[in-house]
Amino acid sequence: MTDELRYERLAVSVARSGSLVPRIHGVDVESFSQLYPLLIAPIFARGLVPGDVVSAHVAGAWVMSSVCVPAYLLAARVTGRRAWGLVVAAGSVCVPWLVYAAMLMTEVAAYPAFLWACLGLFWATLRPSWWRDGLALAGLALAFFARTELLVLVFVAPAAVVVFECGRAQGAGFRRRLGAGLSAALRGHRLGVCVYALLAAGGVVAAERGSLAAVVGVYGSYAQDDTLLPAGMAGSFAAHVALFALGLGLLPFLVGAGWLLAGAVSPGASRERHAFASVAAVTVVAVLFQATNFDVRYTGFVHDRFLVYLAPLVLCGMACALVEGGLPVWALALSAAVTVAGFAAGSFPASTWHQFPQLTEDSPASGLLRRAVSLTGSLATARAALVLATLLLGLLFVLGARRLGRGRLALAAGGFALAALAATTVATFSQFFGTVGWSQRPLTMSENGVFDWIDETIGARASVTIIPYPVSSSYFISDERWRDIEFWNKSVVRDALEATDDQGNAYAYTGFWFPKLELRFNPRTGLANISPTPWVAASDKDTRFALAGAARADVGDVLLIRADMPWRAEWISSGLYDDGWTRPGITAAIRVFASPGQRRPRTRYFSFAVHSPSGVPSQPVHVDSDLDHWHGAATDTGTLTATIPVCVPARGSTVIRLSTPVTSTIPGDQATQDSSGGSRRGGVFFGETALSSQIGRLCRVKNA
């Protein structure tokens, strides 16, 4: 996926340049989630990508599992028992979302960074001081640079402090308690007040300049839409809760989330637990709200990858409930009601759990829904079973809290929670490694010497520009091929697209995340407007132009070319669709340019192949040059190849013309994913074009 490609490219950029500035293809990009690329950059400093990726995955397992440290510190302090600290620490690294450690994703670093930020916020809320506020603010910055989404903690922090102080305030009446709480918050967190005042002032200035959305980097376009409660928000919120609860094995969420809500609104004698409940409850609600809002507006399905950070907080909440021997029934009923509503009416598109065998990287918990459907026979039955399981587990906990002693309740519920977490995690990893990846290759297959052929040929420190173009009649195969070319070769440092008036994003396989160069050729001289690198990787099927240079390798329909500097085209085409089909009623032209320093007209040989669309058994084709004429019949049963001589004048160019009188239905365009498929009108496919590198004898134009 382009997320992994993006973070790998950012890491390679840091390793090659030594600069901490996020940069892709030589361009500074608005990507503030720079912590993870910085962590893995040393791994990508030497060697080839296949070995580096393995090392990065190993490092990712350690980094993501380091969440156990803040989880232990937080749980041990809040519960007052080291044993529960160990249980929560173990549970935090035994969650389905730990599968991200096997990917190059920001969640690897953001998961522990988020919890360190929450721990710092907890300490600052519990015992306000200048240095604790400083630690909390540093934690917020760490979380933001780990993942831009975690900017939400900037809004969580003051809200959590106010909830805590209002809960501890003395006096009767909501207004008095609110006033006393706000006063205590302002007095106790002077550093925080100063920093937030500066942030607010900066936000006002940025808003006046229209650049406020830039704070979230590439997500700024999403931030322009400030709709807080779009249609369908309530139902999607419940679906997010339900799928996240399923990932945790249901009971930990029901009990943990219920205790957090109860602890925030009904403070007990323990100052530590009230501070934790205030921080965690506000955080859980805010993150769930943020994820739901984004998904409702832009994605249409639950991204539980946005919710992984909440797992340790919920598990710690459950530990507190078991230490206290239960929680208010209303709180458990509320968490159960929202979960039940999510299972009963939430939208779970088949594309996330049924349509493809692979685990959906944006929603690992959807793989558990697949298991539930497999066991019950249908989605409707699975919904009913999950609703029943939620209600049954809630009821059993209430009965256990009333009839069992505190120790036996803790043993039973804690044991069930760990077993449930282990089961959901094993099931997720089993699906992840039990199928091929989205590239249709086994995830554990070694890629050494397979896709890193460019780096192996010219070295990882070389500089290569890719010029993407279809290498297959399937858009998705071409898309995968070019992403592989960039991902597995550090030497790929630029991406160039031919600038056109109607399809500026044609063949932009890596999407808007990756800066592109616009490539143009002078129609009179063939000179290019850019010459970014001496090496070029281009499709050997390109019918738009051929870059002058010596081919060093040809692997998987991709040519590695040592380009002539400055860049120039040996020939360019016009009148064709970009993917090589002739346009209806238009004579296509191939303009062949003279070689640099050519002083006399010389003979060159232009090779090509044609075939007709499916269902057209024979179609006449005419190809004319200034030396010869070629007439043939393209068929739909095979490709007809031919070569025609052409006399190229000194310091100029000549034209080869291709025409066909027949128009029929041809396959849809392959320029973009949206345009692929379907059909259009055209003539014949004109491909496998090549101009002989051999300069022939002197010539004289016979047929103008």
Side-chain angles (χ1 to χ4, degrees):
M1 59 185 300
T2 52
D3 281 12
E4 289 189 285
L5 177 56
R6 183 164 83 256
Y7 300 127
E8 182 235 25
R9 291 289 99 179
L10 288 170
V12 170
S13 173
V14 172
R16 288 186 63 146
S17 68
S19 171
L20 304 184
V21 177
R23 187 174 290 120
I24 296 177
H25 293 164
V27 178
D28 294 348
V29 295
E30 295 180 343
S31 178
F32 297 113
S33 303
Q34 190 71 345
L35 178 61
Y36 178 65
L38 291 178
L39 289 176
I40 63 173
I43 296 174
F44 285 87
R46 295 182 178 84
L48 299 178
V49 172
D52 293 346
V53 168
V54 173
S55 298
H57 288 161
V58 173
W62 286 100
V63 171
M64 197 168 187
S65 297
S66 71
V67 74
C68 66
V69 177
Y72 170 80
L73 295 174
L74 185 60
R77 178 63 183 270
V78 171
T79 63
R81 291 170 173 79
R82 294 182 179 179
W84 278 114
L86 293 173
V87 170
V88 172
S92 298
V93 296
C94 187
V95 293
W97 302 279
L98 200 72
V99 74
Y100 287 123
M103 306 179 195
L104 301 183
M105 304 281 274
T106 53
E107 281 77 8
V108 172
Y111 187 40
F114 175 89
L115 198 57
W116 278 114
C118 289
L119 181 60
L121 183 55
F122 162 72
W123 280 332
T125 303
L126 178 63
R127 296 281 188 268
S129 69
W130 283 80
W131 72 269
R132 286 190 177 92
D133 276 4
L135 284 177
L137 291 169
L140 296 182
L142 179 70
F144 172 74
F145 288 111
R147 184 164 173 80
T148 310
E149 165 201 352
L150 302 184
L151 177 67
V152 67
L153 289 179
V154 172
F155 303 97
V156 164
V161 169
V162 170
V163 168
F164 173 74
E165 295 295 351
C166 289
R168 309 308 294 183
Q170 302 297 319
F174 174 76
R175 290 187 178 181
R176 289 189 177 183
R177 294 172 69 88
L178 178 60
L182 288 173
S183 178
L186 293 173
R187 290 195 311 271
H189 300 273
R190 295 179 182 178
L191 176 60
V193 170
C194 292
V195 171
Y196 270 78
L198 292 174
L199 289 175
V204 171
V205 173
E208 290 177 350
R209 295 179 177 178
S211 59
L212 184 60
V215 73
V216 291
V218 291
Y219 291 100
S221 58
Y222 301 131
Q224 299 290 347
D225 183 357
D226 57 358
T227 306
L228 291 179
L229 294 172
M233 184 75 178
S236 183
F237 184 89
H240 280 71
V241 167
L243 209 56
F244 178 62
L246 180 60
L248 291 179
L250 295 180
L251 184 63
F253 179 83
L254 299 179
V255 177
W259 184 90
L260 293 178
L261 293 174
V265 302
S266 302
S270 172
R271 184 180 178 90
E272 284 80 3
R273 290 176 196 165
H274 181 214
F276 167 69
S278 300
V279 171
V282 174
T283 301
V284 169
V285 173
V287 172
L288 277 166
F289 180 88
Q290 178 197 48
T292 303
N293 181 276
F294 183 87
D295 287 339
V296 168
R297 288 189 292 160
Y298 302 112
T299 71
F301 69 95
V302 175
H303 279 58
D304 52 87
R305 66 177 285 197
F306 297 157
L307 309 176
V308 54
Y309 317 102
L310 304 179
L313 299 180
V314 171
L315 294 176
C316 192
M318 181 179 186
C320 291
L322 296 179
V323 167
E324 294 178 355
L327 73 159
V329 174
W330 69 264
L332 181 63
L334 179 59
S335 64
V338 176
T339 305
V340 164
F343 284 134
S347 175
F348 305 111
S351 59
T352 63
W353 61 272
H354 174 68
Q355 184 176 352
F356 306 102
Q358 293 88 351
L359 187 73
T360 303
E361 65 278 356
D362 286 319
S363 182
S366 293
L368 302 173
L369 185 62
R370 175 194 293 270
R371 293 293 183 106
V373 172
S374 177
L375 290 173
T376 59
S378 68
L379 179 60
T381 309
R383 289 179 184 271
L386 291 170
V387 166
L388 181 62
T390 301
L391 296 174
L392 181 60
L393 287 171
L395 179 61
L396 288 175
F397 185 82
V398 171
L399 293 176
R402 292 180 177 178
R403 299 188 179 184
L404 299 176
R406 185 176 301 179
R408 286 187 291 176
L409 175 66
L411 183 62
F416 177 87
L418 289 178
L421 284 170
T424 58
T425 303
V426 168
T428 302
F429 272 86
S430 177
Q431 181 183 351
F432 182 62
F433 287 111
T435 60
V436 295
W438 289 98
S439 61
Q440 303 303 312
R441 301 190 297 269
L443 291 169
T444 55
M445 182 179 76
S446 172
E447 304 291 355
N448 285 312
V450 181
F451 298 103
D452 58 338
W453 60 273
I454 294 179
D455 281 0
E456 286 194 327
T457 302
I458 59 176
R461 301 299 296 181
S463 295
V464 179
T465 298
I466 58 173
I467 305 178
Y469 186 79
V471 294
S472 167
S473 58
S474 167
Y475 174 89
F476 296 101
I477 292 177
S478 298
D479 176 82
E480 176 189 329
R481 182 73 52 78
W482 286 107
R483 291 188 185 185
D484 277 334
I485 289 290
E486 178 150 7
F487 183 86
W488 296 104
N489 295 279
K490 297 178 186 178
S491 55
V492 174
V493 295
R494 297 291 186 273
D495 187 345
L497 300 179
E498 185 186 28
T500 58
D501 295 331
D502 56 345
Q503 289 180 330
N505 63 341
Y507 317 123
Y509 296 116
T510 52
F512 70 93
W513 300 106
F514 296 79
K516 311 293 192 298
L517 298 173
E518 288 193 351
L519 176 61
R520 297 182 179 89
F521 293 98
N522 187 313
R524 292 185 298 105
T525 64
L527 286 175
N529 62 317
I530 56 174
S531 303
T533 62
W535 292 95
V536 175
S539 171
D540 63 5
K541 298 181 181 298
D542 204 323
T543 58
R544 302 168 300 173
F545 58 85
L547 205 61
R552 179 71 176 274
D554 187 353
V555 178
D557 296 319
V558 175
L559 280 171
L560 178 62
I561 304 168
R562 179 76 181 194
D564 293 349
M565 301 295 282
W567 284 11
R568 63 180 181 85
E570 289 190 321
W571 56 266
I572 58 176
S573 69
S574 60
L576 294 170
Y577 285 114
D578 266 357
D579 56 357
W581 288 88
T582 60
R583 295 176 181 268
I586 296 178
T587 298
I590 310 296
R591 182 169 295 277
V592 182
F593 297 97
S595 301
Q598 181 179 330
R599 298 180 179 180
R600 305 280 297 277
R602 292 283 186 174
T603 303
R604 302 291 296 275
Y605 294 90
F606 190 82
S607 301
F608 59 91
V610 292
H611 68 75
S612 63
S614 177
V616 180
S618 180
Q619 185 164 331
V621 180
H622 309 288
V623 180
D624 302 300
S625 75
D626 54 6
L627 285 182
D628 200 0
H629 304 285
W630 180 89
H631 305 284
T635 69
D636 63 348
T637 57
T639 300
L640 177 64
T641 60
T643 299
I644 189 170
V646 57
C647 185
V648 183
R651 297 181 296 277
S653 63
T654 188
V655 175
I656 302 171
R657 291 180 172 83
L658 167 75
S659 62
T660 177
V662 179
T663 297
S664 56
T665 300
I666 64 174
D669 195 1
Q670 294 294 318
T672 66
Q673 180 177 342
D674 292 336
S675 64
S676 65
S679 61
R680 52 189 165 156
R681 301 295 292 179
V684 297
F685 179 78
F686 179 72
E688 298 183 26
T689 49
L691 184 66
S692 172
S693 59
Q694 182 179 2
I695 306 297
R697 61 188 179 183
L698 295 175
C699 59
R700 185 175 62 183
V701 176
K702 295 182 180 179
N703 299 295

